Amino acid sequence: PPGIFDSLASPGMPALASAAAVSEGLLEREMVVAEIRRTTDVILSLPKASGFLPHFTTRRVDGSPWIHPGTEFSTVDTAIALHGLRLAARILDLPDVGDAVDAAIRGLDFDALTNEEGWISHGVAEDGKTPLVGQWRDWGGETALVLAMESMIPDRVPRGKMEENGHVFRGVQFISEIQSLFYPDFDKTEPDRLVGTVWPQVRGALLARQASYINEQWPGSPAAVAGIFGLSAGEAGMPGVGYMANGVDIPGVRWIHPHAMIMGLALSGGNTFAGGIQRLEDAGLLVPQGLPENVEMGMALRNPMQGSLNAAFEALASYHGWRRAKGAPDVIDQATLNDPLMRKGAARFYKLL
């Protein structure tokens, strides 16, 4: 409805999840193709700043989408949306969508948002001119997606940088895993060529901290007994409390985000994914509508999923975990490995064969 806002990152990831679902025979191809084409048209018709798309959009009174007042044009949300749409186009063989995404990436002006030291801004203010003060310095998947997208621009020598410390902001789970929703390359056990991090080591260490957090902070609690964990970004409590990014660096957090458990186990947990799914089901958290947005460590309070961002994290991670557990082909990984533009993104971090 008019005035209600949406997250730009959300349409790209559900498009990708829907494309994967078509490959599994779960959704009808014609319906999904029509949705993805419409989504692409709407997203790329939005106002832009230096080529970057709004973080949040709203529907104006006349029905047209626009930037939500008081929000910004976002580098990382542009990256998430365009990665998802590009891979969806590859999976479903939609050259028109792929070409449209390619053109949008060519139109990104990273020089306008990159300082002399190579730090890329989080985006542009609502006025479409003023770069945001915040910069992508933190180690992790969000920064990685922005840097990968910069690498896709033809004839550009990438300038973007990332901290070398291997520390995830606050120990928030999704930050260490979001890149692996799109790129299997970050499972490589060799140091990446940008900052020298062995990503599986850092990701595995954070997953271990996530898994032990509830036992350490709330020993004997229902969540600890059930083996449920996950500190990430999302609603911070009951409806109305607001959005928060909590991680294992923060003591005393009572609210668990199950999507974080799914992401960690599916993407970094080896053969532990199926066991985690069983624990979620035994705890009554695996329902047809999807996992709850959050659940309090006492397990009595929970909220249904509040938005498609965390739902997409859950869906895409689950697909990867499911395919890997079966030793079956993963169409998202295959698309990434076969798409020239995605290979350019991966080459920012790894030498490709």
Side-chain angles (χ1 to χ4, degrees):
I4 303 300
F5 66 89
D6 295 307
S7 166
L8 176 80
S10 299
M13 289 192 290
L16 177 55
S18 296
V22 168
S23 74
E24 299 297 333
L26 301 174
L27 292 175
E28 295 181 1
R29 175 184 169 84
E30 293 77 11
M31 176 188 71
V32 171
V33 167
E35 289 178 352
I36 289 173
R37 283 181 168 144
R38 177 167 173 77
T39 295
T40 304
D41 288 344
V42 171
I43 285 178
L44 298 185
S45 69
L46 288 166
K48 303 177 183 67
S50 299
F52 295 95
L53 295 160
H55 185 175
F56 295 104
T57 64
T58 190
R59 188 183 296 277
R60 295 186 290 188
V61 175
D62 66 1
S64 61
W66 203 251
I67 183 172
H68 186 64
T71 63
E72 78 282 4
F73 297 88
S74 169
T75 45
V76 70
D77 292 282
T78 299
I80 294 169
L82 297 184
H83 271 81
L85 291 174
R86 178 75 185 194
L87 286 173
R90 185 78 186 189
I91 291 169
L92 296 176
D93 190 21
L94 304 177
D96 55 325
V97 174
D99 289 348
V101 173
D102 196 350
I105 291 172
R106 288 197 304 270
L108 299 174
D109 184 1
F110 271 93
D111 285 335
L113 297 184
T114 307
N115 69 12
E116 294 180 357
E117 296 177 312
W119 301 114
I120 299 173
S121 171
H122 284 179
V124 183
E126 186 184 358
D127 63 10
K129 300 176 182 179
T130 308
L132 300 179
V133 174
Q135 299 168 328
W136 288 114
R137 292 173 174 262
D138 294 328
W139 183 92
E142 291 179 298
T143 305
L145 289 177
V146 173
L147 299 182
M149 188 170 63
E150 183 197 15
S151 300
M152 296 177 184
I153 298 174
D155 303 320
R156 178 179 177 80
V157 177
R159 296 172 52 209
K161 296 167 57 178
M162 180 168 66
E163 295 283 5
E164 301 178 4
N165 56 22
H167 177 73
V168 174
F169 175 70
R170 293 181 180 172
V172 175
Q173 181 68 72
F174 90 87
I175 296 175
S176 72
E177 301 297 338
I178 186 172
Q179 75 292 328
S180 294
L181 298 177
F182 307 101
Y183 291 97
D185 303 85
F186 290 90
D187 292 342
K188 293 181 179 180
T189 56
E190 64 193 68
D192 77 70
R193 65 196 302 185
L194 182 66
V195 295
T197 299
V198 179
W199 284 67
Q201 289 183 359
V202 175
R203 293 162 59 198
L206 181 58
L207 176 59
R209 291 182 64 200
Q210 287 272 345
S212 64
Y213 180 93
I214 298 298
N215 275 318
E216 294 170 357
Q217 295 287 316
W218 307 105
S221 67
V225 172
I228 306 300
F229 64 90
L231 301 188
S232 193
E235 295 300 311
M238 295 302 287
V241 174
Y243 189 89
M244 180 64 69
N246 284 325
V248 293
D249 292 346
I250 302 174
V253 179
R254 302 176 62 91
W255 287 88
I256 298 165
H257 288 89
H259 80 261
M261 178 174 169
I262 289 288
M263 291 183 81
L265 294 180
L267 300 173
S268 289
N271 62 359
T272 61
F273 176 63
I277 290 291
Q278 187 63 57
R279 296 199 303 276
L280 288 165
E281 184 168 22
D282 292 343
L285 299 178
L286 198 64
V287 296
Q289 294 87 350
L291 292 168
E293 168 78 11
N294 57 14
V295 58
E296 200 261 347
M297 59 86 184
M299 303 290 283
L301 300 175
R302 63 189 69 172
N303 293 313
M305 186 62 70
Q306 298 297 302
S308 57
L309 184 64
N310 286 348
F313 286 162
E314 165 194 325
L316 291 173
S318 294
Y319 173 76
H320 288 302
W322 175 48
R323 301 309 281 168
R324 292 173 182 177
K326 297 172 65 173
D330 183 314
V331 297
I332 298 176
D333 287 349
Q334 290 174 337
T336 300
L337 295 172
N338 291 322
D339 185 86
L341 203 61
M342 296 294 293
R343 290 296 79 207
K344 288 186 68 176
R348 188 75 170 98
F349 292 88
Y350 296 98
K351 185 177 180 179
L352 306 181
L353 299 177

